[in-house]
Amino acid sequence: MKYKTDVVVIGGGAAGMAAAYRAKKEGVDVILLERDEDTGGVLNQCIHNGFGLQYFRKDLTGPEFKEYAKERLEDIEILFGTYVLEVRKDRTIVFVDKRGIHEIETKALVMATGARERHFNSLPVPGKRITGVFTAGLAQRFINLENLKPGSKAVILGSGDIGLIMARRLTLEGIKVEAVLEIMPYPGGLERNVQQCLKDFDIPLYLSHTVTAIEGDRRLEKVIAAQVDYKWDPIPGTEKEFEVDTLITSVGLIPQTKPVDFVETDPGFLVSNTNQTSEDWIFAAGNCTVIFDLVDYVAKEGEKAGKYAALYARGEYKKGKKVKVRKGDNIGIVHPVYIDPTQESTLYIRVSRVFDRASIKVLPLDVEVIEDEARPPEMIVVKLKPFDENIDEIEVMADELISKLG
């Protein structure tokens, strides 16, 4: 079967739903492709609250956020149970479902394919590949959606938000969490999650620690951890042993860019402030571009991608000049990497170290934002107005702001 439309959105998570909604609102025809039998993506298994505070102005659980977003898709064609096989340069999308293989001819495409978890097997940890080792997302799915208990006693490797949230979730389900290990000298998640998920439940957090070995006969029986130095090498004599049957890993997410293989990525899609990729008809938003810390940011970026994809499909937006955004001192991540200077911009910034009080500057635009307790896990948002098209590059940098006493 062959379809024809103005905008195709691949992925029905927070970014994809927002993109489809906004593109339709702009008055174009939209087809949303979703591999599962419902929209929402990972939101469906995130039953804790804290979602939507900025986007919907409500404190929602993941499934509630999904339902609010889904209610806006009534007039949009959604094809469930689809798997995209190929995205061609001639603007044809090839996908398969239970009916067979189909093609869609489109004018613009929004990639909203999210990210996948980095697996424990990618880490240089010796030991048998035994059962009892789960990624945090898989453990969350087992407990929240499938009512399965992954184990009785656990260690969690990684203090990103999903790792912190799972420490609390396991505890509430009667699973003893012996420790959360973090290789960095600071927690990897939001401060509110450190407080609510660890401190409130007296779960110990070991900073500058990692897993050095796992032991067990078929099933995990012991996790061996050690403190690490500034090069992340284990320090002899600092080993700790935990007799547990479960290891939960929260060691990062990898943007999912397949099946598009002809646009710039590093590792996610490199986009402009209009979410346009190096291929002018392809736009991208959400965790397939960069890993965001809030779903609200993901949804906002999805809306923006849907807006500009619709404008492109109508012939009202074309790729213009791209101003390079460069990382300066003490900046770990800045998104997007290009700016169309004729449009407003939102920069998402992660500093590369902990600041008591940081001055974030965007040069040569003379923009400065002061951020108290700036930490690498938490994104700093900076708004930019359209600026002089004669500027070829802007630089984002961070410095410690020293207070003057007396």
Side-chain angles (χ1 to χ4, degrees), residues 162-194:
I162 179 64
L164 298 175
I165 288 165
M166 284 309 297
R168 177 179 61 185
R169 191 74 184 98
L170 292 171
T171 301
L172 292 174
E173 290 298 321
I175 301 169
K176 174 65 174 175
V177 179
E178 296 289 346
V180 175
L181 308 173
E182 171 56 56
I183 197 170
M184 301 299 290
Y186 49 80
L190 300 175
E191 181 59 34
R192 73 184 190 200
N193 286 332
V194 175

Side-chain angles (χ1 to χ4, degrees), residues 189-202:
L190 300 175
E191 181 59 34
R192 73 184 190 200
N193 286 332
V194 175
Q195 179 63 52
Q196 295 172 5
C197 300
L198 297 188
K199 294 180 181 178
D200 288 357
F201 290 88
D202 295 323

Side-chain angles (χ1 to χ4, degrees), residues 63 71 84 111 158 162 174 181 249 265 315 338 347 389:
E71 287 175 358
V84 177
M111 293 294 292
I162 179 64
L181 308 173
T249 63
T265 58
Y338 300 109
L347 296 182
E389 295 185 49

Side-chain angles (χ1 to χ4, degrees), residues 102-126:
H102 315 277
E103 294 183 357
I104 307 176
E105 180 183 330
T106 187
K107 297 177 182 176
L109 168 66
V110 177
M111 293 294 292
T113 44
R116 57 186 173 86
E117 292 184 281
R118 190 183 303 276
H119 198 270
F120 179 73
N121 288 349
S122 66
L123 304 179
V125 178

Side-chain angles (χ1 to χ4, degrees), residues 71-223:
E71 287 175 358
R72 307 185 301 180
L73 306 181
E74 291 182 355
D75 299 326
I76 294 172
E77 184 175 8
I78 306 175
L79 301 179
F80 293 107
T82 63
Y83 186 85
V84 177
L85 299 174
E86 186 179 5
V87 174
R88 297 174 181 164
K89 289 186 176 182
D90 65 359
R91 308 187 187 191
T92 299
I93 315 299
V94 182
F95 71 93
V96 63
D97 62 13
K98 61 185 178 182
R99 301 170 298 158
I101 297 177
H102 315 277
E103 294 183 357
I104 307 176
E105 180 183 330
T106 187
K107 297 177 182 176
L109 168 66
V110 177
M111 293 294 292
T113 44
R116 57 186 173 86
E117 292 184 281
R118 190 183 303 276
H119 198 270
F120 179 73
N121 288 349
S122 66
L123 304 179
V125 178
K128 298 177 182 178
R129 289 300 175 248
I130 47 185
T131 62
V133 181
F134 306 88
T135 61
L138 179 60
Q140 185 182 56
R141 181 180 181 88
F142 279 169
I143 293 173
N144 293 347
L145 294 185
E146 301 182 22
N147 197 29
L148 297 173
K149 183 179 178 182
S152 298
K153 295 176 68 176
V155 164
I156 296 178
L157 175 61
S159 66
D161 288 314
I162 179 64
L164 298 175
I165 288 165
M166 284 309 297
R168 177 179 61 185
R169 191 74 184 98
L170 292 171
T171 301
L172 292 174
E173 290 298 321
I175 301 169
K176 174 65 174 175
V177 179
E178 296 289 346
V180 175
L181 308 173
E182 171 56 56
I183 197 170
M184 301 299 290
Y186 49 80
L190 300 175
E191 181 59 34
R192 73 184 190 200
N193 286 332
V194 175
Q195 179 63 52
Q196 295 172 5
C197 300
L198 297 188
K199 294 180 181 178
D200 288 357
F201 290 88
D202 295 323
I203 299 172
L205 171 63
Y206 293 93
L207 299 175
S208 298
H209 279 72
T210 192
V211 173
T212 56
I214 58 175
E215 297 179 1
D217 182 15
R218 302 184 67 181
R219 175 78 188 199
L220 179 67
E221 297 173 2
K222 183 184 294 184
V223 170

Side-chain angles (χ1 to χ4, degrees), residues 229-292:
D229 59 22
Y230 71 98
K231 294 181 180 180
W232 297 348
D233 292 327
I235 301 173
T238 64
E239 291 81 8
K240 297 177 178 64
E241 295 186 357
F242 300 94
E243 293 186 359
V244 295
D245 60 7
T246 305
L247 174 63
I248 307 293
T249 63
S250 176
V251 291
L253 299 171
I254 304 171
Q256 182 64 266
T257 59
K258 293 182 179 181
V260 179
D261 57 4
F262 52 87
V263 301
E264 292 182 359
T265 58
D266 185 30
F269 292 110
L270 298 181
V271 299
S272 70
N273 55 323
T274 63
N275 295 81
Q276 194 170 36
T277 68
S278 57
E279 195 74 18
D280 61 358
W281 62 280
I282 299 179
F283 298 76
N287 287 344
C288 66
T289 59
V290 70
I291 305 303
F292 290 90

